[in-house]
Amino acid sequence: MAQDPFKKFKGQTAAALSKALAELGVDAEPALDRPPEGMGDLAFPCFPLAKTMRKAPNMIAEEIASKVRPEGMIERVEAKGGYVNFYVRFEDLAQPALEDAVARKESFGKGEPKGVRMLLEHTSANPTGPLHVGRARNPIIGDTIARILRMAGYDLTTEFYVNDVGRQVVIMTWGVKHLKLEREPDRDEDHYRYVLYYQQANRVVEEDEGAKAQVDAMLQKLEHGDEETVRLAREACEKVLKAVTASMRRVNISYDGFTWESRFVQDGTVDRIIEKLKGSEYCKEADGAFHLELESFGITGRETKWVFTRADGTSLYTTRDLAYHMDKFKRTDVAVNVLGEDQKLGMQELAAALTIMGVEKKPEMVYYAFVSLPEGRMSTRKGTVVYIDDLVDEAVDRAYDEVKKRRTDLSEERMREIARVVGVGALRYNIIRIQAEKQIVFKWEDALNFEGASAPFVQYAHARACSILKKAGERGPAAFDARKLVSDHEKALAKLVSSFPSVIQGCADDRRAHPLAAYAQELASQFNQFYRYMPVLKAEGDVREARLALVEASMWALRNSLSCLGMEAPEEM
RNA sequence: GGGCGCGUGGCCUAGUCAGGAUAUGGCACUUGCCUCCUAAGCAAGUGGUCAAGGGUUCGAAUCCCUUCGCGCCCGCCA
């Protein structure tokens, strides 16, 4: 891969600045900022030097500016308001960047292989029903970060941890075996039938002591490996899981692997871990149950105990999660977990338990706040939910209406396909555009937004680029001169395209996805301005070639951004 | 009681980790632009005590302290 030209410019600028500072006898780091629009490409603030140099910042800036000789990628240097502003020579930045995009196509933006194995766990929902919008953030954030990490050069595997052990699953399984459904499921797929058993069983168990006793007995049987019970629970979970993953495929999410929680009980790992923990200096016993005392690990609050066996000797969710993480670190260098913010304390405790078990590596966490309804929190058990499948249907229907309004020349099949791609994109975009820590209140009007900061906006810019390239027809090997791009519209667009690889790296480093959504929107907006003011097909000679190259490079930046966001890029819409 | 996160125009939001020039976009609203590569677009306009108060600093949305509001957590649940 060609070296990121902007990075090269930054390196040259820092070197030139260091030299100038040394000449002036000033001891300061060449720390460079990104200045606001129209004030160059990099800036050095001189305010901190005012005190030691006993001079006004604007004077210092003048002095430094006069010492820096524009060379290499630095086109000019000027002092303004206490800053030294550096301007990049446009063609030195744009020529290699646009060539790179046109040559590498879907690999434009891909980082060098990092040689690091990464395992990213996401979704990991109880297999007791379809995913609702309150849970939608997990797979969408997880899948998007996974795509970004792969693009950045990591050797990444995604995984869904299936919580098939425990009371929730038993309640559902008991319901499937003993109840007759009070009403028809809303949809045909298995998980929509099973979630009704789950909800109904929860109500019955709350009111009926006998039923509760049966569930308790079933839980005991499951934990002690009773074959028939294990088989029933496994069957129910598999049906739901299969349907859940099918639902996820509709929004372009798939998993490289699944790990079943029950595995760690059945293969004896959990028992071995319990034995080892019992030998720890942090282990205490109370009424037959064992726990670790984690106060010295910075765990605060009312309770600093981390219980890992019940009085009857059986394991808890947390114990099995410890087993899972020890298993993960046998298979990977870096583990990334996408989890709701309610899991924060649990993960802190898990990290402490890993230390006690002698495991140095710790999972990296990506936390998100929940999506709620205006009326409050969503709950599968209570049935106060908006299901993702329904949201997808609604989004696709709305998108279909929009396509039909605009296009009369397309086949029914083509319109349906565009509607699907646009609807799914809109839905994902509206989840991913918001910083994960921020709570979201779900509103249909926001989720179905097709304008402005939305996937269709980005997809539309891409379709426009494709349309130009299609009409331009076959062109020979890319030969263009970036110096022919002279307008502000062209320059701004080219610079934005050239920053795509560093946007990907930045998102990957921070394990954050929302900046990519913002970048895609900005890129599309910049492309639309270029499109409005700079005719491409009507331009002639070298100017036409240069603009076509810019369109093609923009198209790849848009398409690859969308791809990392898990959105498809239709060539027309 | 303790811990973690969030608070930015009517609504949504970026920037906060690594303080810097006029606080980023979008929705809504008002007004223009399709004989010209797709108007899911472009342009212009209205709208801001960056929750409140104090501190640090040449400079604070950003760092520190206090307070308020909202969310989440502190199970022999998962």
Side-chain angles (χ1 to χ4, degrees):
Chain A
M1 187 185 80
Q3 194 199 348
D4 182 343
F6 191 81
K7 220 184 259 175
K8 196 171 159 193
F9 168 63
K10 194 167 183 179
Q12 290 184 6
T13 304
L17 179 58
S18 291
K19 210 171 135 202
L21 290 170
E23 275 178 45
L24 290 166
V26 183
D27 182 31
E29 284 296 308
L32 293 160
D33 284 342
R34 289 306 294 267
E37 193 58 42
M39 302 208 230
D41 300 285
L42 285 172
F44 177 71
C46 300
F47 309 98
L49 302 176
K51 201 170 244 176
T52 51
M53 292 178 73
R54 307 173 67 115
K55 266 182 216 167
N58 56 344
M59 297 291 292
I60 300 170
E62 295 283 356
E63 271 184 47
I64 295 174
S66 69
K67 289 279 178 205
V68 178
R69 202 160 354 101
E71 57 186 356
M73 293 176 78
I74 305 170
E75 186 176 65
R76 64 195 171 93
V77 183
E78 63 181 33
K80 195 171 183 184
Y83 290 86
V84 184
N85 293 333
F86 298 85
Y87 291 76
V88 69
R89 190 178 307 282
F90 171 74
E91 61 267 29
D92 289 352
L93 182 71
Q95 189 74 38
L98 299 183
E99 279 175 6
D100 190 36
V102 171
R104 298 180 68 214
K105 306 183 189 298
E106 38 284 284
S107 295
F108 172 54
K110 195 155 179 67
E112 292 290 343
K114 299 252 194 295
V116 175
R117 288 175 306 169
M118 231 181 222
L119 195 159
L120 187 143
E121 177 200 339
H122 69 82
T123 312
S124 302
N126 292 327
T128 51
L131 296 182
H132 55 71
V133 172
R135 284 223 171 247
R137 252 183 149 173
N138 196 315
I140 291 174
I141 290 172
D143 181 71
T144 308
I145 293 178
R147 288 165 182 267
I148 290 168
L149 289 170
R150 279 205 182 101
M151 189 68 157
Y154 290 97
D155 175 12
L156 183 120
T157 307
T158 59
E159 194 162 297
F160 185 133
Y161 183 49
V162 189
N163 307 130
D164 64 326
V165 181
R167 195 171 182 86
Q168 323 235 23
V169 163
V170 170
I171 287 177
M172 177 179 75
T173 309
W174 178 86
V176 170
K177 196 175 171 191
H178 295 97
L179 296 177
K180 186 173 168 6
L181 286 184
E182 290 161 352
R183 66 178 178 93
E184 284 300 302
D186 302 326
R187 287 170 164 266
D188 294 334
E189 299 91 337
D190 285 333
H191 49 340
Y192 286 91
R193 191 153 44 84
Y194 277 65
V195 75
L196 291 185
Y197 282 117
Y198 175 65
Q199 290 164 348
Q200 205 172 309
N202 264 296
R203 283 196 303 276
V204 171
V205 168
E206 257 176 46
E207 292 156 12
D208 182 344
E209 281 299 318
K212 186 174 175 296
Q214 282 185 26
V215 166
D216 289 342
M218 204 167 171
L219 184 60
Q220 281 296 318
K221 278 186 173 173
L222 184 70
E223 302 225 338
H224 290 96
D226 174 73
E227 262 182 48
E228 171 70 0
T229 314
V230 168
R231 190 183 57 79
L232 277 177
R234 179 75 179 210
E235 270 178 21
C237 288
E238 266 173 1
K239 279 224 160 115
V240 173
L241 183 65
K242 207 172 159 197
V244 165
T245 52
S247 288
M248 286 298 97
R249 268 198 297 280
R250 297 182 71 200
V251 287
N252 303 330
I253 294 172
S254 60
Y255 305 87
D256 298 324
F258 297 86
T259 293
W260 292 72
E261 187 179 352
S262 54
R263 193 189 105 194
F264 301 109
V265 180
Q266 283 157 15
D267 69 7
T269 333
V270 162
D271 288 336
R272 284 195 294 278
I273 287 172
I274 288 173
E275 279 318 302
K276 187 158 180 199
L277 286 175
K278 280 180 179 171
S280 151
E281 57 178 307
Y282 301 97
C283 179
K284 297 249 165 53
E285 194 232 307
D287 306 321
F290 288 84
H291 67 267
L292 298 174
E293 191 49 67
L294 296 181
E295 203 163 3
S296 60
F297 288 83
I299 306 295
T300 55
R302 291 191 192 96
E303 204 51 81
T304 57
K305 292 185 180 73
W306 186 77
V307 179
F308 63 92
T309 67
R310 295 192 182 94
D312 64 5
T314 55
S315 66
L316 286 94
Y317 168 81
T318 40
T319 328
R320 300 184 292 269
D321 208 20
L322 177 59
Y324 177 40
H325 280 84
M326 291 176 69
D327 177 70
K328 274 187 186 176
F329 284 122
K330 284 183 199 151
R331 300 184 274 137
T332 191
D333 301 315
V334 177
V336 180
N337 296 355
V338 178
L339 285 177
E341 60 176 346
D342 55 337
Q343 307 290 321
K344 280 186 187 177
L345 179 60
M347 279 294 129
Q348 219 181 313
E349 293 168 335
L350 181 82
L354 280 166
T355 301
I356 289 169
M357 287 300 290
V359 177
E360 284 310 309
K361 287 187 238 173
K362 302 290 179 291
E364 283 182 29
M365 308 307 307
V366 176
Y367 293 113
Y368 59 90
F370 293 107
V371 180
S372 59
L373 294 171
E375 308 85 62
R377 196 169 168 169
M378 291 186 214
S379 159
T380 299
R381 195 165 49 81
K382 293 177 188 158
T384 54
V385 292
V386 173
Y387 288 120
I388 296 175
D389 284 306
D390 293 333
L391 180 54
V392 174
D393 289 350
E394 190 68 34
V396 171
D397 284 351
R398 270 281 308 271
Y400 178 77
D401 293 343
E402 295 295 320
V403 186
K404 198 149 194 177
K405 223 189 285 175
R406 289 158 220 273
R407 303 295 294 256
T408 50
D409 56 326
L410 297 175
S411 70
E412 179 66 16
E413 193 188 5
R414 188 80 192 108
M415 286 195 290
R416 292 278 173 203
E417 173 60 9
I418 291 168
R420 181 188 68 77
V421 165
V422 167
V424 167
L427 186 161
R428 284 187 66 138
Y429 195 96
N430 268 284
I431 299 275
I432 208 66
R433 57 183 260 266
I434 295 168
Q435 185 192 332
E437 301 82 1
K438 228 157 188 158
Q439 299 157 233
I440 297 180
V441 177
F442 176 81
K443 297 196 188 87
W444 282 100
E445 67 212 77
D446 297 337
L448 302 177
N449 173 36
F450 290 175
E451 295 169 354
S454 73
F457 179 88
V458 181
Q459 289 167 325
Y460 187 66
H462 172 268
R464 280 177 147 183
C466 288
S467 173
I468 292 175
L469 294 171
K470 193 175 168 190
K471 287 189 175 158
E474 284 298 313
R475 293 176 296 136
F480 65 94
D481 183 352
R483 284 174 298 188
K484 299 296 173 188
L485 303 171
V486 295
S487 71
D488 288 347
H489 288 114
E490 291 161 307
K491 287 183 170 178
L493 179 58
K495 283 183 182 178
L496 206 51
V497 168
S498 74
S499 70
F500 176 62
S502 62
V503 170
I504 291 294
Q505 287 301 326
C507 287
D509 290 347
D510 295 345
R511 281 85 160 113
R512 296 200 303 175
H514 76 269
L516 180 59
Y519 171 79
Q521 131 87 18
E522 198 189 343
L523 181 62
S525 173
Q526 202 61 247
F527 181 83
N528 281 331
Q529 288 166 52
F530 163 81
Y531 182 93
R532 163 71 179 77
Y533 293 105
M534 296 289 127
V536 177
L537 298 175
K538 281 185 183 161
E540 287 173 5
D542 292 348
V543 174
R544 180 183 148 107
E545 283 312 308
R547 287 184 186 167
L548 275 170
L550 179 56
V551 171
E552 192 172 347
S554 302
M555 186 274 284
W556 287 114
L558 286 163
R559 190 187 289 192
N560 295 354
S561 294
L562 285 166
S563 163
C564 286
L565 292 166
M567 300 162 196
E568 290 153 90
E571 292 183 8
E572 59 184 354
M573 59 187 275

